[in-house]
């Protein structure tokens, strides 16, 4: 019995394995009550490591090496490509509206359109929501009272490598499919646009000012 | 050369290089013999270049939904409303209605009015409703639509309108997009801008979307007019969007129209129309 199991553990040839398999099946049937009770880690008959399919689900060794990044280093600005004579560099398509569903759907539409036209979309992000309180003068008195609270939502789709011959076509398609209430603007991406997305850290700035 | 071909074919594959060398060797004297004629043909321009302008007024309202779209929109809206939670305003309104009902039931027991808001949610809703009744939306079908005045820009607010002018070409009057002939030293886009300036006299602000033309129409002159230098003309179309301004109304009332895509067929010649239709994007 032990010898048979030992044969199973050492990866022998196929004939060996078939015989060992048959034997182990018989032994497993008899010893199953004890094996089932204890954990599988305790038992020494782990057949699958000997099978040719061992490691069939492994994929991490195929992925490119990812260096672990510290949280502080993660936010780094990507290089802004300047355009050449025949192609634009990084462009920001900014869509602003009061209605969030509308502007999000339009941003999704623009993104899918760019994918369809094989235009490289670098990023598609949202700017923070701005809340505006509309105060109206009271008719009877002179006090301002709150009439409405409006939220302005902005979505940005950043594209790159738009050729100058195709740009008019894309712009016209986007403009003609613009929904009511959405304000559209296409601008070149600058560092200021990137900095606007980051939060200012007043304590850090205070300390830096104190140091210098 | 024929012997060379016969010898090289069975080898297969690598015949390209020797063949090229042979061709080059044989071609050089051939090109020299035709030298003067080839140069002479390229020197004189055979086609006249013209830059034309497709000035479009973008629509200011969206088109009406078709019946199926309308039905679908209503159904989706109903589903959304039924699936959604109450908003703050609605919760407040329900709470206040509860309070009012309790006050009515307990009116003999308590008459305390404390803690009640001065302005109820219901009052707010009534005020909003009144404001909405006072609001009047602009008309979708304008006066110009009703009398079909094609020279006005206020017509067909849900469609693109294009500018067409009537000009004398050769010996006949034709409707076409405003154009100007290309002069040496300027780009074709500046030709189109010049056409716009001469037509409108700086009243119109238009935005060109790019330097590349969107369409081409080429035609040959009738045999009588063909000269050694010009066989025909090539018209390059440039698209521009109208930002503001209009043609000065005083002059030339019959010479220009603003038309939508469907009405182009009434004015343009068939060949010209097919080429123009190729770069128009609306229905």
């Amino acid at each position: 019995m032990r010898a048979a199991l030992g044969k199973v553990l050492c990866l022998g040839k196929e004939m060996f394995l078939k015989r060992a398999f048959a034997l182990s099946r018989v032994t497993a049937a008899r010893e199953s009550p004890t094996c089932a009770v204890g954990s599988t880690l305790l038992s020494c008959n782990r057949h699958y490591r000997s099978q040719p399919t061992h490691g069939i689900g492994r994929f991490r060794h195929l992925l490119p090496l990812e260096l672990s990044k510290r949280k502080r280093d993660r936010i780094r600005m990507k290089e802004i490509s300047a355009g050449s004579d025949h192609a634009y560099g990084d462009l920001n398509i900014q869509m602003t509206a009061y209605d969030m569903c509308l502007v999000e759907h339009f941003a999704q539409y623009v993104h899918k359109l760019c994918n369809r036209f094989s235009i490289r979309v670098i990023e598609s992000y949202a700017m923070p929501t701005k809340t505006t309180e509309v105060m109206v003068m009271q008719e009877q008195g002179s006090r301002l009272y709150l009439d409405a609270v409006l939220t302005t939502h902005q979505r940005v789709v950043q594209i790159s490598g738009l050729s100058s011959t195709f740009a008019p076509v894309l712009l016209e398609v986007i403009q003609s499919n613009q929904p009511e209430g959405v304000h559209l603007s296409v601008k070149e991406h600058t560092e200021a646009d990137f900095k606007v997305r980051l939060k200012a850290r007043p304590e850090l700035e205070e300390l830096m000012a104190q140091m210098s | 050369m024929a012997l060379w071909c016969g010898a090289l074919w069975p080898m297969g594959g690598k015949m390209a290089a020797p063949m090229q060398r042979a061709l080059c060797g044989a071609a050089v004297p051939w090109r020299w013999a035709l030298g003067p004629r080839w140069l002479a043909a390229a020197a004189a321009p055979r086609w006249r270049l013209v830059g034309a302008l497709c000035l479009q007024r973008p629509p200011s309202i969206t088109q009406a939904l078709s019946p199926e779209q309308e039905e679908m929109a209503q159904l989706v809206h109903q589903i959304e409303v039924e699936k959604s939670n109450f908003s703050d305003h609605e919760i407040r309104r329900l709470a206040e209605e509860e309070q009012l009902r309790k006050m009515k039931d307990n009116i003999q027991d308590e008459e305390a009015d404390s803690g009640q808001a001065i302005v109820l949610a219901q009052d707010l809703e009534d005020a909003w409703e009144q404001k909405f009744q006072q609001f009047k939306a602009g008309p979708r079908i304008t006066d110009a639509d009703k009398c079909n005045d094609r020279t006005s820009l206020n017509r067909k607010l849900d469609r693109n309108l294009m500018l067409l002018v009537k000009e004398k070409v050769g010996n006949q009057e034709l409707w076409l997009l405003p154009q100007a002939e290309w002069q040496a030293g300027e780009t074709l886009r500046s030709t189109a801008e010049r056409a716009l300036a001469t037509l409108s006299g700086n009243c119109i602000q238009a935005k060109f979307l790019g330097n590349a033309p969107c369409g081409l129409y080429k035609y040959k002159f009738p045999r009588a007019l063909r000269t050694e230098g010009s066989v025909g003309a090539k018209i390059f179309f440039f698209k521009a969007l109208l930002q503001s301004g209009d043609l000065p109304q005083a002059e030339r009332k019959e010479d220009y129209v603003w038309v939508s895509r469907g009405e182009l067929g009434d004015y343009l010649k068939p060949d010209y129309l097919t080429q123009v239709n190729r770069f128009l994007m609306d229905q």
Side-chain angles (χ1 to χ4, degrees), chain A residues 93 95-114 124-126 153-157 174 177-180 182 184, chain B residues 76 80:
Chain A
I93 305 177
M95 294 151 277
T96 325
Y98 293 125
D99 186 0
M100 186 173 79
C101 300
L102 201 60
V103 76
E104 275 202 350
H105 282 301
F106 188 48
Q108 281 177 12
Y109 164 75
V110 166
H111 195 141
K112 281 189 188 169
L113 192 77
C114 293
S124 171
Y125 56 86
H153 308 267
Q154 187 177 34
R155 300 284 181 273
V156 178
V157 176
I174 296 180
N177 285 306
Q178 204 179 342
E180 287 165 317
V182 173
L184 174 75
Chain B
V76 166
E80 267 183 25

Side-chain angles (χ1 to χ4, degrees), chain A residues 88 136 145 147 164-165 167-173 175-176 178-180, chain B residues 56 60-62 128 131 140 160 209-212 239 241 279-282:
Chain A
Y88 288 98
V136 178
Y145 73 96
D147 191 27
S164 60
T165 46
V169 174
L170 178 73
L171 287 174
E172 206 187 327
V173 170
Q175 264 183 319
S176 48
Q178 204 179 342
E180 287 165 317
Chain B
Q56 284 187 331
S60 38
I61 53 178
T62 50
W128 294 337
K131 250 199 210 171
R140 288 179 79 94
N160 271 333
L209 290 174
N211 287 331
K239 252 192 204 173
L241 291 178
F279 62 80
L280 292 180
M281 273 200 227
D282 46 341

Side-chain angles (χ1 to χ4, degrees), chain B residues 232-269:
Chain B
K234 288 187 183 176
I235 307 180
F236 291 91
F237 299 103
F238 285 85
K239 252 192 204 173
L241 291 178
L242 180 74
Q243 308 277 95
S244 65
D246 192 5
L247 286 179
Q249 292 283 329
E251 18 161 312
R252 316 161 44 146
K253 262 272 178 171
E254 306 94 24
D255 284 354
Y256 74 93
V257 276
W258 292 95
V259 286
S260 67
R261 189 180 179 172
E263 294 157 359
L264 278 178
D266 302 338
Y267 295 88
L268 299 178
K269 295 268 162 159

Side-chain angles (χ1 to χ4, degrees), chain A residues 146-163:
Chain A
L146 188 65
D147 191 27
V149 174
L150 297 172
T151 49
T152 309
H153 308 267
Q154 187 177 34
R155 300 284 181 273
V156 178
V157 176
Q158 201 178 86
I159 56 176
S160 155
L162 183 66
S163 75

